[in-house]
Amino acid sequence: MKLEIAVVSAAGAGIAASEGADRIELCSSLELGGITPSQGLMEASLEHVDGRLEIHPLIRCRPGDFRYSASDVDTMVHEIRHLLAQGAHGVVVGALTGAGELDVRILQRLADAARDANQDAELTFHRAIDQSKDPLAALEQLLELGFTRVLTSGHEATAGAGLPTLATMAERAGADLQIMAGGGLALEDIPAMHKAGLSAVHLSAKRTVSTLGEGTISLGAQDGNDPTAYTVTDRETVRAAKAMVNALNGAEA
């Protein structure tokens, strides 16, 4: 089992690397479900990890649904090219039709863009699959498109609740498509994910930082009552997750 951490900063990337994570999903604005990181963030993250783990940037040009316009797709193609050229090991993408099925036409274009930039680039399908009509039926399509792995909570709000579906997905995917559990994943869920045959777990491992003071003025629309709040990667959570994964892998060996 591998450990992936979702991070939104170069400092977070460095923490994940120093605590032994195998991969990071690099993104911005986790509070919006994640959007594409900037090229500057990618460059800084590469410097902080110094080759100690893989970086897989999220390719999502806007928040909201996964039904993309032609302009959206053009933007994401450019993002894929630039981020892979900078040194990303793969990209994390997803697209759906209005009927809740995989948008194969868009996914093929994104996959082609990735392979044109780096023929060895890995392709991860993100949690758009949890908004699809039938996540099990989607697996065969993703195999045909050449995807490496799927990040999913098993079609439920949290990976813990989706464990039965995750186990079925892992069984059906076999060795050709990695099923990575993520989405509301708690540390105490990891042993069950390992037992169910999941090849990886994905955590945001985040904590909230705030500098809220009396009379602070909000500068834009934001949920909650604290316009100063932001998230950072929590080192202790990453460390605990890695220790748990190592223990499970060691017991298996």
Side-chain angles (χ1 to χ4, degrees):
M1 175 179 274
K2 302 290 187 181
L3 174 64
E4 179 176 288
I5 305 295
V7 304
V8 295
S9 69
I15 288 171
S18 64
E19 295 301 333
D22 299 287
R23 286 189 300 269
I24 59 171
E25 180 191 74
L26 185 66
C27 63
S28 295
S29 301
L30 268 177
E31 69 276 8
L32 300 176
I35 58 174
T36 308
S38 69
Q39 292 178 53
L41 175 54
M42 179 66 191
E43 183 176 0
S45 296
L46 283 164
E47 292 173 355
H48 276 66
V49 306
D50 193 26
R52 290 174 290 173
L53 50 62
E54 297 180 6
I55 300 180
H56 296 254
L58 174 65
I59 306 298
R60 187 182 179 213
C61 63
R62 58 160 176 79
D65 64 21
F66 303 104
R67 298 167 60 181
Y68 294 115
S69 68
S71 178
D72 290 334
V73 176
D74 285 341
T75 298
M76 290 190 288
V77 165
H78 285 291
E79 291 172 337
I80 287 170
R81 289 172 179 164
H82 286 296
L83 290 165
L84 284 172
Q86 284 185 276
H89 296 80
V91 289
V92 184
V93 302
L96 301 175
T97 68
E101 298 174 341
L102 299 194
D103 194 320
V104 175
R105 180 184 60 83
I106 289 177
L107 292 172
Q108 185 67 67
R109 187 173 175 204
L110 298 179
D112 288 345
R115 295 189 186 102
D116 287 344
N118 178 356
Q119 64 179 359
D120 297 320
E122 295 187 353
L123 296 172
T124 300
F125 193 92
H126 58 52
R127 287 195 63 210
I129 197 167
D130 294 321
Q131 291 187 2
S132 69
K133 183 171 61 177
D134 187 345
L136 294 172
L139 296 181
E140 189 63 37
Q141 292 176 298
L142 292 173
L143 280 166
E144 291 174 0
L145 288 163
F147 273 72
T148 307
R149 70 182 57 85
V150 182
L151 170 62
T152 173
S153 61
H155 218 236
E156 298 287 350
T158 67
L163 180 59
T165 299
L166 286 167
T168 301
M169 293 175 77
E171 183 179 357
R172 292 196 184 182
D176 296 323
L177 184 64
Q178 300 168 19
I179 306 299
M180 178 165 59
L185 184 73
L187 289 174
E188 54 267 28
D189 294 326
I190 294 177
M193 300 297 161
H194 184 270
K195 185 177 181 179
L198 278 297
S199 61
V201 288
H202 168 106
L203 296 90
S204 58
K206 63 181 184 292
R207 61 181 173 86
T208 300
V209 174
S210 172
T211 56
L212 183 65
E214 185 177 351
T216 301
I217 297 172
S218 176
L219 301 181
Q222 184 171 336
D223 292 336
N225 300 314
D226 186 352
T228 73
Y230 62 99
T231 61
V232 297
T233 302
D234 184 71
R235 182 181 295 275
E236 294 305 318
T237 302
V238 179
R239 182 176 295 167
K242 181 60 176 178
M244 188 172 292
V245 169
N246 280 348
L248 292 165
N249 288 339
E252 184 180 64

